[in-house]
Amino acid sequence: MLTRGNTAPMFFRILSKFPQSFSFCFAYGSGVKQQLGYDSVRSKRNMIDLIYVVDNAHRWHTANLDQNFEHYSSMRLLGGGPIAKYQESFGARVYFNTLVHIPDEDVIIKYGVVSTKDLLEDLTDWRCLYLAGRLHKPVEIIRNASSSKIQNAIEQNLRSAVHAALLLLPEKFTEFELYRAISNLSYSGDFRMIFGENKDKVNNIVRPQLENFRNLYSDTFGKFHHCLELPISASDNQICTQDLSEATILAHLNGLPKWPIRLIVERQTSGRYRQDTEDILIGVSRSTNYQSLVASCLRSIVWSSSVWQSIKNIPTAGIAKSVRYSWAKALKTFS
């Protein structure tokens, strides 16, 4: 499902330089997974993005300050407690240290720290659709989940992604369009796609990784056999067909996580009166604009979390690193 590659020994060496109390760790982005328009994986131009999932953020940051004080901006002077509180208070609940040079491996990394409870909430509820969105796509697992709760939440997140993508797709579409719709869930609405990212980023992620997407979603698609017909032979140009009956659309709506459903209900009622959620979703499933409603609700979640997380990242990186990071992103976008 989520893969380990031949770069695993390097990742293990990088991981050894940090406090070891992880409950889960993965790498993502062009530094570990091929994307069109970028240099090959492991190019020195491609920063490696890592996410460290920890049970106790206060304890972990305190230990990491002892080991890697220089990784932090001036916020390091506050200590582990305030840093953990800042991490868990707003945005996507992730604290990033960026442009960190690992001399032994001659690589640059950016690593985010998230509390286990906040990762679980995002995977199951899509409160921010931030790390949940990253885990909609193939990633490199560096340390396996320490609990079944995380693994179950990852699997639930994949099912939710298929429900959402099918709600946004027409009756017939290609396999490539299916994976593109899944990948776009966490990019549509991201304000960075307006200012700093390549507009073809989603296509560039999906096109070279079709086989990885097939492997990632093979088990999940088995649970949709009653409403989704996939081509027998693997080909991004072959046609997939889905059932668009009201009953199936309603099932997909009910399969969405808590926060998208909450927004759908709020927008349908406008806060004027109380109505049973199931009745509202039945009404949406019978409407002709259910696709635009679902898309709008997902965009609003992504917009809010991406804006606040980007603002949050400025003091965690420091002004100098923020400028360098933004400039590097711009060079990749227009090169």
Side-chain angles (χ1 to χ4, degrees), residues 4 35 42 45 61 83 86 107 129 140 172 187 213 230 279 281 335:
R4 287 183 182 273
Q35 293 184 24
R42 288 302 319 275
R45 290 186 63 196
H61 282 294
I83 288 175
Y86 185 75
V107 296
L129 196 43
E140 192 83 12
K172 295 183 182 297
Y187 282 116
F213 273 96
L230 295 170
D279 289 340
L281 295 184
S335 62

Side-chain angles (χ1 to χ4, degrees), residues 36-313:
L36 298 180
Y38 287 81
D39 292 344
S40 61
V41 172
R42 288 302 319 275
S43 165
K44 290 183 173 60
R45 290 186 63 196
N46 295 341
M47 182 167 60
I48 295 173
D49 297 284
L50 294 157
I51 295 294
Y52 299 157
V53 184
V54 302
D55 289 336
N56 188 312
H58 181 171
R59 189 177 304 153
W60 194 89
H61 282 294
T62 299
N64 196 41
L65 283 166
D66 288 338
Q67 283 186 241
N68 300 299
F69 189 72
E70 71 282 0
H71 290 184
Y72 291 79
S73 68
S74 57
M75 288 192 67
R76 62 194 175 191
L77 301 177
L78 300 175
I83 288 175
K85 187 171 183 179
Y86 185 75
Q87 170 190 309
E88 296 177 338
S89 294
F90 66 97
R93 314 294 172 86
V94 187
Y95 186 102
F96 281 104
N97 284 326
T98 191
L99 295 176
V100 174
H101 184 219
I102 307 295
D104 295 351
E105 305 298 332
D106 193 23
V107 296
I108 302 293
I109 70 170
K110 177 181 76 175
Y111 64 94
V113 183
V114 63
S115 297
T116 303
K117 61 181 177 60
D118 291 325
L119 174 68
L120 290 173
E121 182 182 31
D122 198 31
L123 289 173
T124 57
D125 295 348
W126 286 9
R127 188 180 189 280
C128 301
L129 196 43
Y130 191 84
L131 294 182
R134 280 152 178 76
L135 288 166
H136 288 163
K137 297 173 278 291
V139 301
E140 192 83 12
I141 298 299
I142 313 304
R143 180 170 294 179
N144 288 324
S146 62
S147 73
S148 59
K149 283 186 178 180
I150 295 177
Q151 188 57 46
N152 291 339
I154 289 172
E155 293 170 3
Q156 180 178 338
N157 182 48
L158 296 178
R159 292 193 299 273
S160 298
V162 176
H163 281 300
L166 291 177
L167 282 167
L168 301 176
L169 286 164
E171 181 181 9
K172 295 183 182 297
F173 45 87
T174 65
E175 186 184 15
F176 172 78
E177 289 171 333
L178 173 58
Y179 297 132
R180 184 177 62 188
I182 290 172
S183 299
N184 197 49
L185 295 173
S186 58
Y187 282 116
S188 180
D190 190 331
F191 91 100
R192 294 170 300 176
M193 296 298 290
I194 301 173
F195 300 106
E197 289 287 4
N198 188 325
K199 299 302 182 289
D200 291 323
K201 185 177 181 67
V202 177
N203 288 343
N204 293 344
I205 289 172
V206 176
R207 184 68 68 184
Q209 291 199 75
L210 282 170
E211 191 59 35
N212 288 335
F213 273 96
R214 290 179 187 124
N215 293 335
L216 179 60
Y217 282 93
S218 60
D219 290 343
T220 304
F221 286 150
K223 298 176 175 62
F224 289 81
H225 62 86
H226 60 288
C227 63
L228 175 63
E229 183 179 336
L230 295 170
I232 297 175
S233 60
S235 171
D236 59 323
N237 292 319
Q238 292 201 44
I239 299 300
C240 309
T241 305
Q242 67 161 321
D243 176 18
L244 288 183
S245 66
E246 290 179 6
T248 298
I249 293 170
L250 178 60
H252 290 322
L253 290 168
N254 279 310
L256 292 175
K258 172 182 174 180
W259 279 84
I261 289 179
R262 176 177 173 177
L263 285 178
I264 290 171
V265 170
E266 288 178 353
R267 293 187 182 193
Q268 290 302 100
T269 61
S270 301
R272 291 191 299 269
Y273 56 90
R274 296 185 63 84
Q275 189 177 354
D276 184 74
T277 295
E278 185 65 18
D279 289 340
I280 293 173
L281 295 184
I282 289 172
V284 172
S285 71
R286 294 172 177 171
S287 70
T288 58
N289 69 333
Y290 72 88
Q291 289 181 317
S292 60
L293 176 61
V294 171
S296 175
C297 290
L298 293 175
R299 281 197 303 270
S300 69
I301 293 172
V302 174
W303 173 265
S304 177
S305 67
S306 66
V307 168
W308 283 108
Q309 184 63 40
S310 294
I311 294 171
K312 176 180 179 178
N313 288 346

